Amino acid sequence: MNRLAEALLSTPEMCAVFSTEAWLQRMLDAEAALARAEEVAGVIPAGTAGAIAAACRAEYFDAEEVAVQGAVAGTPVIALVRMLSERVTGGAADYVHFGATSQDIVDTGLMLQMRDALDLLDGQLLRLGEHCATLADRHRATPTVARTLGQHAVPMPFGLKAAQWLAAVTHHIERLRALRSTHLVAQLGGAGGTLAVLGAHGDRVTRLFAEELRLAAPDLPWHTRRDGIAEAVCALGVLAGAMAKVATDLVLLAQTEVAEVGAAAQGDKGRSSAMPHKQNPIDAALARTAANHAIGMVPVVLAAMAQEHERAAGGWQTEWNAVPATFGATAAAVGRVTDAIAALQVDTERMEAVSRLTDGRIMSEVISAALVPRLGRAAAQRAVADASRDAAETGRPFREALRDRLASLNVLSHDEIDALFAPERAAGSASLSIDRALDRFQTVQPR
Amino acid sequence: MNRLAEALLSTPEMCAVFSTEAWLQRMLDAEAALARAEEVAGVIPAGTAGAIAAACRAEYFDAEEVAVQGAVAGTPVIALVRMLSERVTGGAADYVHFGATSQDIVDTGLMLQMRDALDLLDGQLLRLGEHCATLADRHRATPTVARTLGQHAVPMPFGLKAAQWLAAVTHHIERLRALRSTHLVAQLGGAGGTLAVLGAHGDRVTRLFAEELRLAAPDLPWHTRRDGIAEAVCALGVLAGAMAKVATDLVLLAQTEVAEVGAAAQGDKGRSSAMPHKQNPIDAALARTAANHAIGMVPVVLAAMAQEHERAAGGWQTEWNAVPATFGATAAAVGRVTDAIAALQVDTERMEAVSRLTDGRIMSEVISAALVPRLGRAAAQRAVADASRDAAETGRPFREALRDRLASLNVLSHDEIDALFAPERAAGSASLSIDRALDRFQTVQPR
Amino acid sequence: MNRLAEALLSTPEMCAVFSTEAWLQRMLDAEAALARAEEVAGVIPAGTAGAIAAACRAEYFDAEEVAVQGAVAGTPVIALVRMLSERVTGGAADYVHFGATSQDIVDTGLMLQMRDALDLLDGQLLRLGEHCATLADRHRATPTVARTLGQHAVPMPFGLKAAQWLAAVTHHIERLRALRSTHLVAQLGGAGGTLAVLGAHGDRVTRLFAEELRLAAPDLPWHTRRDGIAEAVCALGVLAGAMAKVATDLVLLAQTEVAEVGAAAQGDKGRSSAMPHKQNPIDAALARTAANHAIGMVPVVLAAMAQEHERAAGGWQTEWNAVPATFGATAAAVGRVTDAIAALQVDTERMEAVSRLTDGRIMSEVISAALVPRLGRAAAQRAVADASRDAAETGRPFREALRDRLASLNVLSHDEIDALFAPERAAGSASLSIDRALDRFQTVQPR
Amino acid sequence: MNRLAEALLSTPEMCAVFSTEAWLQRMLDAEAALARAEEVAGVIPAGTAGAIAAACRAEYFDAEEVAVQGAVAGTPVIALVRMLSERVTGGAADYVHFGATSQDIVDTGLMLQMRDALDLLDGQLLRLGEHCATLADRHRATPTVARTLGQHAVPMPFGLKAAQWLAAVTHHIERLRALRSTHLVAQLGGAGGTLAVLGAHGDRVTRLFAEELRLAAPDLPWHTRRDGIAEAVCALGVLAGAMAKVATDLVLLAQTEVAEVGAAAQGDKGRSSAMPHKQNPIDAALARTAANHAIGMVPVVLAAMAQEHERAAGGWQTEWNAVPATFGATAAAVGRVTDAIAALQVDTERMEAVSRLTDGRIMSEVISAALVPRLGRAAAQRAVADASRDAAETGRPFREALRDRLASLNVLSHDEIDALFAPERAAGSASLSIDRALDRFQTVQPR
């Protein structure tokens, strides 16, 4: 894999969680916990678990070799068990991996990696939320415009945009925490999901095994029931989609013609190889790149859910890359958006100027609503639309055109019309919405 | 659209929920609730809401015309508001849609449709669960085999397969109910999400509006924050994936060479136009077709999440078909799987025969585990593997080959070896797992 | 299906090609051609084909009934053959569908529909190409800017943007015509792909059958070899992606802050239900919606390619909706882009103004290149970048800042510097590129 | 990235083509070719190109550093040009990358990598084709059954299955060669696609540049017109889908109950960590895994086609990983299928036995067709279906039941009935189809 792609589609921290070495260690953690659980349950001889656990350290083994052999054998666990058994001293080696199947170890290891990965994302999102919250609060009165289908619609404070971003961040903190508490489930079923080797002890060993690893214990093994994995991947896909929304906003707000926000120059970041004057919104752009990849993994995992019988020939193995890749790309998307927002230079003067670009037409929603009691809705909308067109054709100010129109209809004095254009008429619930977003974010803050 | 495709990718009930008429009615419900909320809040004149609500009946309008005009205008709400205003008597017409934007009505209407759709799926899944539960309980001791990568692995009861299907069904009942209680959120923001027209009353109107419709009230408008929609679609995709798993199992179990299950002949269902002797597993096959489509909508909705600014130019409109299509295809998948399982003919004699196909080799996991204390793991596995190969090459029974091998190693008597092959050694936790799945399903039953 | 979704995701013409009635007729065409081929080959009695062909008219049957029964049976051909046989007079009924299997008829019928659909798209693309060609030629000297990552980069004529759109259109005309000539292949294999019933006549009948329908004859049946179908769907997905590019450009160029293009007001099109002043780029927005759906079908069809054995249980049936849906959505995307471009109002004054927004910095690529021989590249780029920053910080004109910078470096006179800013220095190959795109489009024009 | 995932989703050869070092070299090749073209065209001073080209060797640079800096800057070309310029001796450094933009180098480099990658795939497919051709020819008379929806349908030779696989392989050799000859197009446009810096020489330089690299010259730059890239990725997705079909067949044919094919034991390949007796079809399973990933990249690339203006903020960068990843996963799928087929053990005795499993019912298509002239179709089909059911219910042979049924209808003697069951009646066009597939494969063989 090209290192550029790798750097774009993960973060160093997430790479570490899903590195070959960490993966091996997490599988070894599962083997160690299994031995301990089986010793407590009396399934394997006393003293065995200690010997096994002592050998369950990734640095004792060649992780890459486990991976390469796994690609040949179709499962990494054959090589892992062989190497581990060679390392374990005394008779304990016979009880390595006792009663388990490859998938028990791979799936449980993945759960442990997912826990680490969810913790990383939680931290990332809290940081991103902080930045959004700061923007939301600081700019709760900074005027700019709401845009619908790319067209100026109505006035809104820039803080409300940031509050919307914040609301998404808070939502995903909550969603991922919910997943962390319910979807990290140990896997233990033995070759066919019956735990036959463990006889009457299967259930007890399962519970002890899960407890050792601080995972939830499964009601029953889930070798080919992948709802939990698929839901976690979907949650990441939705989070990536939310990041793509923020990144798209940032790219659009940074357009030369809009220029409401920009990024501070930082070395080569955003520079062009041909145009010395440029500053590209590169973090936002690459957040979209990362989000595209995260979303792309979702249908791969969903389509792989049709895992036949008690172990799939291809579907399960699809998750081995797809799940880490989704975490990586999602983390990259969150990270890039965070970098973009952390370095965001908000040009409030430009926002003010932008909000005047339509010469007051962005007040047309509130003005026409205000005219309804006098004119009825149809006439109110017509008056505003006619004034708008009149101003456009003649080049004179919209407010003036509206005055004439309303004078001809015998409604409202000049002063009353001026009052319609007062910015506070456009405030609506914006400030309350910002407070709501800030309050909700408070509730997810660590104490 | 070809009616065949329509019939394959929805159910009649789900078609009704998302029909043009039902869609119009749900938008009208939103308009009526808005008027009531605004009247209570004192935003529009007393007496207005009644007049508006009285006109909010789909049968008064040409739903198809609203749709067709909506396709031209890019929003159905302009035509809807015009038609509705014409129907409303007296001055109340001026307060139709007051302070709202198209998206408020379309999104809120969708939420109401989604509630109906989730209720339908809940009923479908409860029925499917019943059938699975019956199979799980009835066949808790029916011997068949666990298959991993298509190969016979270990003995397992057929009831455990059904219990796994049941566990997925129960999980999705819980998941969809959770969504129903948290993800059905009213939309109200006005043109740019500020509710400017409602002035200080925005929040109160929002809460009354949601209450009228028995939807949750939003913290803040969510015009371009589509996490809730995306998560609902993902939940359906995961459910569809779970159905594809069951359907795949059914197709495979019905193969001529396996023949553990079949479908009773029902008219033309599963017949061939060329081969009079055939009975195809057509419900299971078409469940896979439907699931493919449901899953296919998920990335479409996720990619459409990058909804720019305060209303998207294309992304939002993507949901108009994608969300109903996902509900339709998922309902079809659930329905087809239910039909397949309801008509399932389980051939327990064939299962028994199938479980003997490997001449006892499916006991090799438990046998080699049982030999570990005597031989150590490596030697135990080698003894079993050697006996298996020996039997394959010479054609004599595996058990006999194993006896010889163990005799040469001086472990276990003939009787002890026979005991290793006793079916109860393979039981493991299967029955407990079945109980767990049944118990959990009990908890989601309506009282 | 909601009629709005239907209207957004197809065109009336494409709906007609894939209507239930047209679908039935195309299957009947296949049955008629089969009978004729078999009569010519002497497989069925002389005089039979005429009687069968006479009955092969969709209006004789209830197409919806065929569809509904097909959804039950899992294939529409059982009902179709039964109804057709009832309608055929005399002994000829016995030879309806002789030697064929359901898939032969469904696949061949689909090929006939695809031919009609490709013809429609060809016409649509030629019309779209005309509009693009007109724009490219008319605006070959209309100055505007190239934008990279949303930032103004260098000057370019608007005609070159249109030429790029045109180049894509021409490419897709060529691609779809290539598909039409190679990928429309008759299907005939009988129940298992061996044409066993036709004995020694299988190959001759296949060739006659294909000839009757003006389809290519297959080397061998392709019941579960779906490369052709998948490639056609991919071609549509790529075309949809190309349309999304054009639509995205149009949405962005129409933004209030950019306003280089707009759409003429046409009734409700692009109006807002809340803001009387707005004109939304609704055709471009809905082109994106349609493209999203077309692209979404591609992985569904690709994933369904894993069609097992000699007829798939679910994969094949997936195409029944997915293929027509892709054609529909692609046609809608092309149609919407065409409507948008046909109604495009190009504001050349605004373009000129926009191209001056960066105060000449968009000349920095050519200026710094021109300075290389005097200063070396590093110094040249530094000079331009410094002048740009200097101008930004002090507010004075970029050209002036550059003059100072270069004066301090002792290179170039004022006149030479002014010459660097001459628009013709930025022309490059733009006009030639426009000619190339126009020429290539000429080659695909019908004579 | 976990090395296991890397090993599953590419081949060592494809990894080399897309390694960080090879990527850097290909970009350097583009820089060298650009300098040569510009020197020939007189754009840069004589003697410059040689100095630049001499420095364009990847081993002079730290490829990983270029990648890492590229991830920061958002383009690798800034670092590459800086490093390259430092390495180039004399004044030539000033003319490194002259007139080009980052995307010119990255895109052209990708084209060179794609050429290498297509060559690798061509070789892989030729090898796979050889194996399929051998199977098709050797088993042209090996009886087995056609299966439709998993049910035994009609007799067919195993060679015809292999011929179908071969036909797909041949098709994809042709398709990829067509792409290689038309879709490898140099990119050169300068910052905004106008080649402004090159003045009147733009076109000549473009042609010389392409010639140097043996790429096609573009009609006009294609910075945001990605049809060619998207089509190449689609072609890989379709090839991956074709591989998934073969792999699925292999997994199904290897099922314990079917066992028509198996894999020779090779070390740990296909072994189980828990069941010593097992031999899993691991190459076929992992071919499906790889195909799932290749297909998953297709919509990612298609959705990224909406590349705005003259350079996209996220869409283009999405290809940087998506294109190599698709090549890698497709190569892995082809490689795994090849390994599976190369090691395939075909059990012809088992095939014969399997083909007798339905006791002759698989002859029902030809038998009922043969009865049509005597009984008419309806009665013929009824007779066969009744006999089939009768046999199933009473347990006696189907042929006997059919004899009775036909005797009661007074048609056909015993001998005539026996003749209906003669295997040669089922041969149909199978052998001819095999020849066709073999002949076509011959045409793509290198001479």
Side-chain angles (χ1 to χ4, degrees), chain D residues 326-364:
Chain D
T326 316
F327 272 102
T330 304
V334 176
R336 289 282 179 179
V337 166
T338 305
D339 288 351
I341 290 200
L344 202 69
Q345 297 197 308
V346 178
D347 188 338
T348 57
E349 279 179 47
R350 177 65 191 153
M351 286 183 179
E352 170 103 48
V354 162
S355 73
R356 282 193 309 263
L357 273 181
T358 61
D359 184 30
R361 279 177 188 79
I362 53 174
M363 297 301 289
S364 66

Side-chain angles (χ1 to χ4, degrees), chain D residues 48-121:
Chain D
T48 305
I52 291 174
C56 286
R57 296 176 56 179
E59 62 264 38
Y60 293 156
F61 308 99
D62 182 343
E64 185 144 333
E65 186 60 23
V66 174
V68 168
Q69 290 198 23
V72 172
T75 162
V77 180
I78 292 176
L80 178 147
V81 168
R82 185 189 306 123
M83 292 179 188
L84 177 56
S85 301
E86 287 165 6
R87 176 104 204 166
V88 171
T89 52
D94 287 333
Y95 295 97
V96 165
H97 192 65
F98 191 75
T101 194
S102 291
Q103 189 166 6
D104 295 332
I105 301 307
V106 172
D107 279 353
T108 301
L110 178 61
M111 287 290 131
L112 297 173
Q113 290 179 293
M114 282 172 61
R115 180 165 64 204
D116 295 338
L118 288 170
D119 287 347
L120 282 182
L121 280 169

Side-chain angles (χ1 to χ4, degrees), chain D residues 142-213:
Chain D
T142 303
T144 179
V145 291
R147 295 170 181 89
T148 58
L149 291 94
Q151 308 297 302
H152 284 199
V154 299
M156 79 181 285
F158 179 64
L160 182 53
K161 291 177 190 268
Q164 290 283 4
W165 303 336
L166 176 61
V169 169
T170 305
H171 170 80
H172 286 287
I173 290 172
E174 293 170 347
R175 174 80 181 120
L176 295 188
R177 287 183 188 171
L179 282 177
R180 193 189 187 291
S181 73
T182 58
H183 278 55
L184 299 177
V185 184
Q187 176 73 283
L188 195 63
T194 57
L195 285 174
V197 169
L198 303 185
H201 306 287
D203 193 56
R204 178 138 189 253
V205 170
T206 300
R207 257 131 256 290
L208 288 165
F209 174 63
E211 212 172 273
E212 275 283 340
L213 298 164

Side-chain angles (χ1 to χ4, degrees), chain D residues 434-445:
Chain D
I434 293 169
D435 287 338
R436 287 258 170 76
L438 291 169
D439 290 350
R440 183 90 180 225
F441 181 59
Q442 274 309 314
T443 67
V444 299
Q445 295 280 23

Side-chain angles (χ1 to χ4, degrees), chain D residues 240-270:
Chain D
M243 291 301 102
K245 185 267 184 292
V246 180
T248 299
D249 283 353
L250 293 175
V251 167
L252 293 175
L253 291 172
Q255 290 173 102
T256 301
E257 293 90 345
V258 180
E260 296 193 353
V261 305
Q266 300 172 270
D268 283 343
K269 178 171 278 189

Side-chain angles (χ1 to χ4, degrees), chain A residues 145 147-154 251-252 254-258 260 271-282 285 303 350 354 357-358 361-365 368 380-382 384-385 388, chain C residues 145 147-154 251-252 254-258 260 271-282 285 303 350 354 357-358 361-365 368 380-382 384-385 388:
Chain A
V145 291
R147 295 170 181 89
T148 58
L149 290 94
Q151 307 298 302
H152 283 198
V154 299
V251 168
L252 293 175
Q255 290 172 101
T256 300
E257 293 91 346
V258 180
E260 297 193 352
R271 278 192 48 217
S272 153
S273 73
M275 296 159 287
H277 68 292
K278 282 194 71 184
Q279 189 63 37
N280 290 317
I282 203 65
R350 176 66 191 153
V354 162
L357 273 181
T358 61
R361 280 177 188 79
I362 53 174
M363 296 302 288
S364 67
E365 183 202 22
S368 52
Q381 295 212 342
R382 207 177 320 114
V384 174
S388 174
Chain C
V145 291
R147 295 169 181 90
T148 59
L149 290 94
Q151 307 299 301
H152 283 199
V154 299
V251 168
L252 294 175
Q255 290 173 102
T256 300
E257 292 91 346
V258 181
E260 297 193 354
R271 278 192 49 219
S272 152
S273 73
M275 296 159 288
H277 69 291
K278 283 193 69 184
Q279 189 64 35
N280 291 317
I282 203 64
R350 175 67 190 151
V354 162
L357 273 181
T358 60
R361 279 177 189 78
I362 54 175
M363 295 302 288
S364 65
E365 182 203 22
S368 52
Q381 294 211 345
R382 207 176 321 115
V384 174
S388 174

